[in-house]
Amino acid sequence: MITSMPGPSFPRAWFPAALAVLPALALPFTASPAAAEPEPPGAPSAYETRVTPAEYYADLMADEPEGAAVVVDGAVSGLHDPEELEADLRETFDALGEPYHVVVSPFPGSGTEWGGAMLPALHDRLGSDGVYVHLRPGSSLFDVAAYGVPLPVDDARSAVMSDPDIAYDAPVDQVAEGFARALTDPGPGGAAAPAPYGAPSAGDRLAAGWRDFLDDLDPTSHNGPGNTGFLAGTLGGFVLSAGGCLVWLRLRRGSLGAGGVAVVTVTAAATVVLAAAVALAPLAHVVSVPEGGAEVLSPREEAFASPPYVASTARVEQIARELEETTAPLYVDPRTPLPLDGLAATAERLADAPVPVRALVLPMDPADEFSGDPEVLAHALASVSGEDAVYLVVGHRYAEAGVRVSASPVGLGTVDSYELWTATSEIEEPSPALALDAALDALEGVEVGEGAYVGTPYFMDSGTEPPGPRVPRYFGEGFPTGVVLLGPLAFLALVGAAALVRLLVRRDGAAGPRALRRMALRESGRLRKALASDRAGEIPGELMPPAEAVLIAMEHGPDDLDHVGAVVVSRRVMAALEDPEGNVGRAPCRVNPLHGPSTTSRRSRVAGGSVPMCASCAQATEAVRAARVLHVRDRLGGRLSYLSLDDRAWVRHHFGAERPARMAERLLEEIDAR
């Protein structure tokens, strides 16, 4: 038998109240999602909502013509006029005859882990076939993909990136034109032909070097006039030195007479005139080139000179509007790739700061309208919004992990800008929330009071001034150094090189130690193989003692003369194997044994009597023979004629041509005595 257990007792008055509450408890579970009200912009969770770049640009492309979508992010206004760029890109891509979807934006950057995935995600959202392109301002690097269209987009991209006429920082419209041209002008294989991979050829390197040289001399660049003046001054100094040397040589001869004085005068005058012409002729080209290049400030550089410090205020106006609509002084760009956890709590803390604070978390890039500079953003936003505050800007640490925070007091005379920078510059945290919390902690430790140091924004003095007049730069930077120092030194270097070449030509008997060693190793190696081969029995008996002595000498610290002996004896042995009857009795040339076997005998004071010589030395004069005598290093490192070493076995027995057996014995004695 089952009996019911008594349940808990409730006061009867609670029952009607429970019935009234139950519908209210069930309402969240039964209400339609469509009936939920969106959170206001200032709601805490709004700061932690992320929007991917593909979602962001897909929403913008929804309003574009189908198959002809071009979205130019306002962040590129520092380098381009967005409206003009959009019109140019439409004209360029219309020529393809295929649907296209083009995004021009520095976000996401090519270095971010989610940058390369933007185009596939954009295609997934749009669901339309065509060419998808993501162009980045100030860079020839871009992403491209093709869906349902027969275009070789990857080959065309490679062709553009390897095109020497498209610089790495080329404008977006130039990159787009190059890409479209590569697609519509296919190579021999039916696709745009990319440049070959691998190391550039010598011709390419020479052409690139020449282009760089001309760029360095461009009169419109910062350094062009100075570099041209330096080269012209150097050439002028060279001419003056050459003319002065000619005059000195003429005066050195002694009495000149009337004709000699006239020659010296004419030479000196011609030198001065020619040097002046050489040094001043390039100046005519420098001053004739129209103004341009670095002499004309870009819109971005002009903007940095005065408020609002940006070429276009579209983006800062949007940020200012959203800051006005929020309940906390925090702006979070939904496209930022940084982690957003904890920003809702940080937003509540910002209002309690000891001074007015505006915090911004957004992606930045060197190619955007702020040049990726948080201080530019802070001053531009303050100029547009009219709000004096400490602006905390959070963004990526370039090429590093974590985030950075930049603190800029704008319009406040109570916060020392240098002290605040010192307190916040070392902040390194993994998320914006933690970085902002650390910055607020640092701000609380900064002394606040009237008369604090507020410096001029540094970007206003960061090289935006155009260079001065060209003529002073031509004469004032490198011209004097070229005339007085580099020109004469270049002339002396040329004279020294000519004298060295002449010395080497005349002293053909001088042989370098390394060259002798290499020759000795090579020839003695051939000799060793010959002695170990089946042909060893064909070597004449009188050559065997010197041959064996050579191998022993090469194993016991040989010097230059030992190397010469190894070369001469080894060559005699190999020659005897090739022509036994014609080479055995022929002694090496006495002037220089490395010349080979002698052909005749001639009397010579240089060699000391009638000695065997090669055909060339036999026909030469005594002066030429003296220049041809072989010179080697002695044991102390000095260079001297090998003939002066007549106490050595090699020289006394003429490298085995005289009493070869005795030479081998003396050579072994010398080796033992070392």
Side-chain angles (χ1 to χ4, degrees), residues 505-583:
V505 171
R506 290 185 58 190
R507 294 283 301 275
D508 63 347
R514 293 183 179 179
L516 277 177
R517 183 175 180 273
R518 286 195 299 268
M519 287 171 27
L521 290 174
R522 183 176 64 251
E523 299 297 340
S524 63
R526 295 177 59 199
L527 175 62
R528 188 183 304 276
K529 290 181 180 180
L531 292 175
S533 68
D534 296 335
R535 300 191 62 191
E538 300 176 19
I539 300 176
E542 61 266 36
L543 293 180
M544 288 299 294
E548 295 173 351
V550 162
L551 300 182
I552 296 175
M554 289 297 294
E555 298 293 333
H556 293 78
D559 59 7
D560 282 4
L561 189 60
D562 292 325
H563 289 152
V564 174
V567 173
V568 173
V569 172
S570 298
R571 288 178 176 175
R572 289 188 67 199
V573 172
M574 301 309 297
L577 287 176
E578 295 174 3
D579 185 9
E581 297 183 2
N583 291 286

Side-chain angles (χ1 to χ4, degrees), residues 277-358:
V278 166
L280 299 179
L283 181 60
H285 167 71
V286 169
V287 298
S288 66
V289 176
E291 190 179 57
E295 299 170 322
V296 179
L297 295 181
S298 67
R300 175 186 292 195
E301 292 171 331
E302 289 182 348
F304 283 176
S306 61
Y309 309 109
V310 288
S312 171
T313 60
R315 193 176 179 198
V316 289
E317 288 175 354
Q318 176 191 352
I319 295 174
R321 285 194 302 270
E322 296 201 19
L323 281 173
E324 289 179 357
E325 296 172 357
T326 58
T327 58
L330 172 63
Y331 169 80
V332 179
D333 191 312
R335 291 176 296 172
T336 180
L338 300 175
L340 305 181
D341 299 342
L343 282 176
T346 302
E348 297 176 358
R349 184 183 175 191
L350 287 170
D352 299 330
V355 294
V357 175
R358 301 291 181 271

Side-chain angles (χ1 to χ4, degrees), residues 257-594:
V261 172
V263 170
V264 169
T265 303
V266 171
T267 302
T271 298
V272 173
V273 172
L274 180 60
V278 166
L280 299 179
L283 181 60
H285 167 71
V286 169
V287 298
S288 66
V289 176
E291 190 179 57
E295 299 170 322
V296 179
L297 295 181
S298 67
R300 175 186 292 195
E301 292 171 331
E302 289 182 348
F304 283 176
S306 61
Y309 309 109
V310 288
S312 171
T313 60
R315 193 176 179 198
V316 289
E317 288 175 354
Q318 176 191 352
I319 295 174
R321 285 194 302 270
E322 296 201 19
L323 281 173
E324 289 179 357
E325 296 172 357
T326 58
T327 58
L330 172 63
Y331 169 80
V332 179
D333 191 312
R335 291 176 296 172
T336 180
L338 300 175
L340 305 181
D341 299 342
L343 282 176
T346 302
E348 297 176 358
R349 184 183 175 191
L350 287 170
D352 299 330
V355 294
V357 175
R358 301 291 181 271
L360 304 100
V361 180
L362 74 172
M364 299 190 73
D365 187 89
D368 65 19
E369 72 270 52
F370 312 120
S371 296
D373 190 332
E375 188 174 4
V376 177
L377 167 59
H379 283 269
L381 183 56
S383 176
V384 169
S385 64
E387 294 181 335
D388 297 337
V390 172
Y391 287 83
L392 303 177
V393 183
V394 181
H396 269 297
R397 281 185 176 271
Y398 293 114
E400 298 180 20
V403 299
R404 63 174 182 173
V405 58
S406 172
S408 302
V410 182
L412 297 179
T414 58
V415 179
D416 190 298
S417 60
Y418 179 77
E419 184 180 353
L420 180 59
W421 177 86
T422 303
T424 58
S425 60
E426 298 299 325
I427 292 177
E428 182 177 354
E429 298 291 346
S431 71
L434 294 176
L436 287 174
D437 288 340
L440 290 174
D441 292 341
L443 183 60
E444 292 177 356
V446 174
E447 184 177 352
V448 178
E450 295 296 332
Y453 170 76
V454 180
T456 303
Y458 83 92
F459 57 81
M460 296 181 63
D461 300 320
S462 59
T464 57
E465 289 294 326
R470 297 176 187 175
V471 174
R473 286 187 287 149
Y474 182 90
F475 287 109
E477 297 181 5
F479 186 87
T481 303
V483 172
V484 177
L485 182 62
L486 267 297
L489 287 178
F491 175 74
L492 292 176
L494 180 62
V495 171
L500 180 61
V501 171
R502 183 181 179 188
L503 179 63
L504 293 176
V505 171
R506 290 185 58 190
R507 294 283 301 275
D508 63 347
R514 293 183 179 179
L516 277 177
R517 183 175 180 273
R518 286 195 299 268
M519 287 171 27
L521 290 174
R522 183 176 64 251
E523 299 297 340
S524 63
R526 295 177 59 199
L527 175 62
R528 188 183 304 276
K529 290 181 180 180
L531 292 175
S533 68
D534 296 335
R535 300 191 62 191
E538 300 176 19
I539 300 176
E542 61 266 36
L543 293 180
M544 288 299 294
E548 295 173 351
V550 162
L551 300 182
I552 296 175
M554 289 297 294
E555 298 293 333
H556 293 78
D559 59 7
D560 282 4
L561 189 60
D562 292 325
H563 289 152
V564 174
V567 173
V568 173
V569 172
S570 298
R571 288 178 176 175
R572 289 188 67 199
V573 172
M574 301 309 297
L577 287 176
E578 295 174 3
D579 185 9
E581 297 183 2
N583 291 286
V584 175
R586 296 170 61 184
C589 176
R590 184 64 63 90
V591 176
N592 187 334
L594 297 178

